[in-house]
Amino acid sequence: MKRRSLLSITLASVLGIGSVLAYQSDAFASKLSDLQNQKKNVESKSSTIKSDINEKDQGIKEIQGKQNTLENELASLDIKIATTDEQIQEKQQQIKEAQQAIDKLKTEISVLKKRIEERNQLLDQRARAIQTNGGSSVNFLDVILGSDSFADLLDRMSAVTTLVNADKQIIEEQKKDQAELEKKQADVEKKLKTLEEMQAKLQSMKIEMNQQKARKNQIMKELGKQKKQLENDKLSLEEEQSILAAQKSAIEKAIKLEKDRIAEQERLAKQRQRQRQRQQQSQHSYSGGGSSSGTPPVSSGSFMRPAQGYISSEFGNRSFDADGFHSGIDIAKGGTVPIVAAGDGVVTRSYFSSSYGNAIFITHSVNGQIYTTVYAHMSSRLVGDSTPVHKGQIIGYMGSTGQAYGQHLHFEFYVGPWTASHSNAVNPRNYISF
């Protein structure tokens, strides 16, 4: 059985202790003192549980705060990653444009190289002419002596000057073109390198941000698990607190009932008579369909077998239980099988549980000792909360509601008040002959 359902049943099994005591004939003072002590214990437990619930609430709030912070950080990271992607695309476009510029420059370089080559050829021609003239491109003495007149001399000198200046211009343009070529290459290569470095840096930033996002997502996942566990713990505590509140109410009612014990005896006698009539009517109504089993014979002693059938699972260790321990006995039988109260007592809770299905808890008082019996997986329940029952009275019918495999009755037996460790859950065979 799951912890929360087991918690509900075992706690609820203590409800109505005073109602049982109200129609017993033990010493008045002793019973009233026991009830008052039980009330104090319940109030103490309720106070402890309330403190635990507040602690769980605080833990849930702290985790929620961390989750909100992480969600904001993740949203900020998403924005940064998107911005970085845009910057990367921008740099990629700039790199593409730089590459295009390089391609264009290659064309310009090709033109410059051709121009430089043509100038080199011209300079080679000049060099050969110098070699032919004995190391000088122009023999000034020949220019002067070969002149026919002063005007012809001026013309010859002007031509020489033009040739010399042309050679100088070719050399200067050569140097300028080479320098321009080298500068363009250096500028474009520097720009391309800068863009590639920026792109690499942005890529690195994106990887780091994605890693941060992954780490934060993992933390968010762990916080979600912790929060879920705290919420489950809180839910169990709230259920326990609710049952304790019902227990306190039942005990307070029991104190009053104990004081009115004599009048209650008369009321109970009349109520038992009416319930016997309902039992007869119920037996009659269930006899119409399918095979029907009778009630087990009422045995001597304080307790009796709660239903006909065979024992399908004993009390004790069991491998397929969540905690490896079966805290009761399973009685199985086909057809319509009535379930009876194992002893005189008061129904402390009659309800439907997702795990136990239709379940009833009865509290008994025998010679000043409190006992609690639990009946689970019933197909139907015939008695409600705070209803006094007598030994052998039909309280419901066997079924397979809740988490059950096949029709059977799951029957538990407790001695004394319930404890969280279920240390006082005992083998029913210790008290009942099966």
Side-chain angles (χ1 to χ4, degrees):
M1 302 299 176
K2 292 186 176 179
R3 177 184 176 275
R4 283 185 54 210
S5 296
L6 185 57
L7 173 65
S8 301
I9 290 176
T10 50
L11 269 175
S13 67
V14 190
L15 295 174
I17 291 174
S19 299
V20 177
L21 295 174
Y23 68 92
Q24 296 294 318
S25 60
D26 294 340
F28 173 83
S30 175
K31 290 181 182 179
L32 188 56
S33 176
D34 288 342
L35 286 171
Q36 289 171 341
N37 288 335
Q38 288 288 339
K39 181 181 176 182
K40 289 179 181 179
N41 290 337
V42 168
E43 289 174 343
S44 176
K45 288 181 182 178
S46 181
S47 177
T48 301
I49 290 171
K50 183 177 180 181
S51 176
D52 291 342
I53 290 174
N54 290 337
E55 183 179 342
K56 300 299 180 186
D57 273 332
Q58 184 61 33
I60 291 171
K61 288 179 181 177
E62 290 177 359
I63 289 177
Q64 186 63 57
K66 292 179 181 178
Q67 286 180 322
N68 292 339
T69 300
L70 279 174
E71 286 175 354
N72 292 334
E73 291 177 356
L74 286 171
S76 177
L77 275 174
D78 285 337
I79 294 173
K80 289 180 180 179
I81 290 172
T83 302
T84 302
D85 279 334
E86 292 177 358
Q87 291 175 344
I88 289 173
Q89 292 175 2
E90 181 182 345
K91 297 307 173 187
Q92 287 175 339
Q93 180 61 32
Q94 291 176 358
I95 289 173
K96 181 178 179 182
E97 292 173 357
Q99 194 63 54
Q100 291 173 346
I102 290 174
D103 293 339
K104 182 179 179 181
L105 181 61
K106 287 180 179 178
T107 302
E108 294 176 358
I109 289 172
S110 177
V111 173
L112 283 173
K113 285 183 177 180
K114 183 177 180 181
R115 190 184 305 166
I116 290 170
E117 180 62 27
E118 291 174 351
R119 291 185 187 127
N120 284 336
Q121 291 176 0
L122 183 58
L123 289 173
D124 286 343
Q125 292 175 0
R126 291 277 191 263
R128 285 194 295 271
I130 290 171
Q131 290 177 353
T132 303
N133 294 323
S136 174
S137 60
V138 179
N139 190 323
F140 289 96
L141 183 60
D142 291 339
V143 170
I144 295 171
L145 295 177
S147 299
D148 295 332
S149 64
F150 183 73
D152 184 39
L153 175 62
L154 291 176
D155 290 337
R156 286 174 175 263
M157 290 299 293
S158 177
V160 169
T161 300
T162 299
L163 290 173
V164 171
N165 289 337
D167 287 344
K168 288 181 179 181
Q169 183 179 356
I170 290 172
I171 293 172
E172 289 299 326
E173 289 177 353
Q174 188 81 337
K175 290 180 180 180
K176 180 180 178 182
D177 287 344
Q178 286 179 342
E180 182 181 357
L181 175 62
E182 291 173 356
K183 184 177 183 301
K184 286 184 177 181
Q185 284 181 322
D187 290 345
V188 173
E189 288 173 356
K190 181 179 179 181
K191 181 178 180 181
L192 182 60
K193 182 180 179 181
T194 300
L195 290 171
E196 289 174 343
E197 288 175 351
M198 290 177 65
Q199 184 186 31
K201 184 176 180 180
L202 289 170
Q203 292 284 9
S204 177
M205 287 172 58
K206 182 180 178 181
I207 292 172
E208 174 61 25
M209 284 187 288
N210 281 329
Q211 290 174 346
Q212 290 181 24
K213 184 177 180 181
R215 288 193 294 269
K216 290 182 185 296
N217 280 331
Q218 182 61 33
I219 295 173
M220 181 72 80
K221 183 178 179 181
E222 293 299 324
L223 288 174
K225 290 180 180 178
Q226 294 176 21
K227 182 181 179 183
K228 184 177 181 180
Q229 182 61 48
L230 285 173
E231 288 172 342
N232 289 337
D233 291 344
K234 179 187 174 184
L235 191 60
S236 295
L237 289 169
E238 287 174 340
E239 184 175 2
E240 184 176 351
Q241 188 182 46
S242 174
I243 293 171
L244 284 172
Q247 178 183 351
K248 179 181 176 181
S249 176
I251 292 174
E252 290 172 345
K253 179 182 178 181
I255 292 173
K256 182 178 183 302
L257 289 174
E258 181 62 20
K259 294 178 179 179
D260 299 332
R261 178 171 56 86
I262 295 175
E264 184 69 8
Q265 288 284 0
E266 295 177 359
R267 186 187 70 81
L268 290 174
K270 294 178 181 178
Q271 192 168 7
R272 285 178 180 176
Q273 184 178 1
R274 290 195 298 269
Q275 287 175 351
R276 287 191 186 98
Q277 292 174 352
R278 286 198 296 268
Q279 175 183 341
Q280 292 172 356
Q281 295 172 357
S282 177
Q283 286 176 311
H284 177 73
S285 64
Y286 268 81
S287 63
S291 61
S292 178
S293 300
T295 59
V298 178
S299 60
S300 60
S302 300
F303 298 100
M304 64 174 285
R305 180 189 183 103
Q308 296 278 28
Y310 66 93
I311 305 301
S312 60
S313 185
E314 293 283 359
F315 175 90
N317 294 324
R318 193 165 70 170
S319 60
F320 57 85
D321 275 285
D323 57 1
F325 190 84
H326 189 223
S327 58
I329 279 180
D330 290 348
I331 304 172
K333 186 175 176 63
T336 302
V337 184
I339 296 170
V340 302
D344 294 340
V346 169
V347 175
T348 51
R349 194 171 189 192
S350 176
Y351 81 127
F352 181 84
S353 161
S354 61
S355 178
Y356 275 81
N358 282 313
I360 290 175
F361 319 124
I362 300 176
T363 303
H364 317 267
S365 177
V366 179
N367 298 325
Q369 176 63 56
I370 299 301
Y371 300 91
T372 306
T373 52
V374 178
Y375 312 77
H377 305 314
M378 293 189 292
S379 63
S380 62
R381 294 172 279 116
L382 303 181
V383 291
D385 293 351
S386 302
T387 302
V389 294
H390 62 268
K391 179 182 173 184
Q393 176 183 335
I394 295 178
I395 60 173
Y397 288 86
M398 190 180 293
S400 58
T401 57
Q403 295 180 1
Y405 301 95
Q407 176 170 295
H408 72 281
L409 167 66
H410 176 74
F411 178 68
E412 296 179 354
F413 197 103
Y414 290 84
V415 177
W418 175 85
T419 59
S421 62
H422 309 298
S423 59
N424 52 338
V426 298
N427 192 336
R429 289 185 181 277
N430 297 342
Y431 295 84
I432 301 172
S433 176
F434 290 89

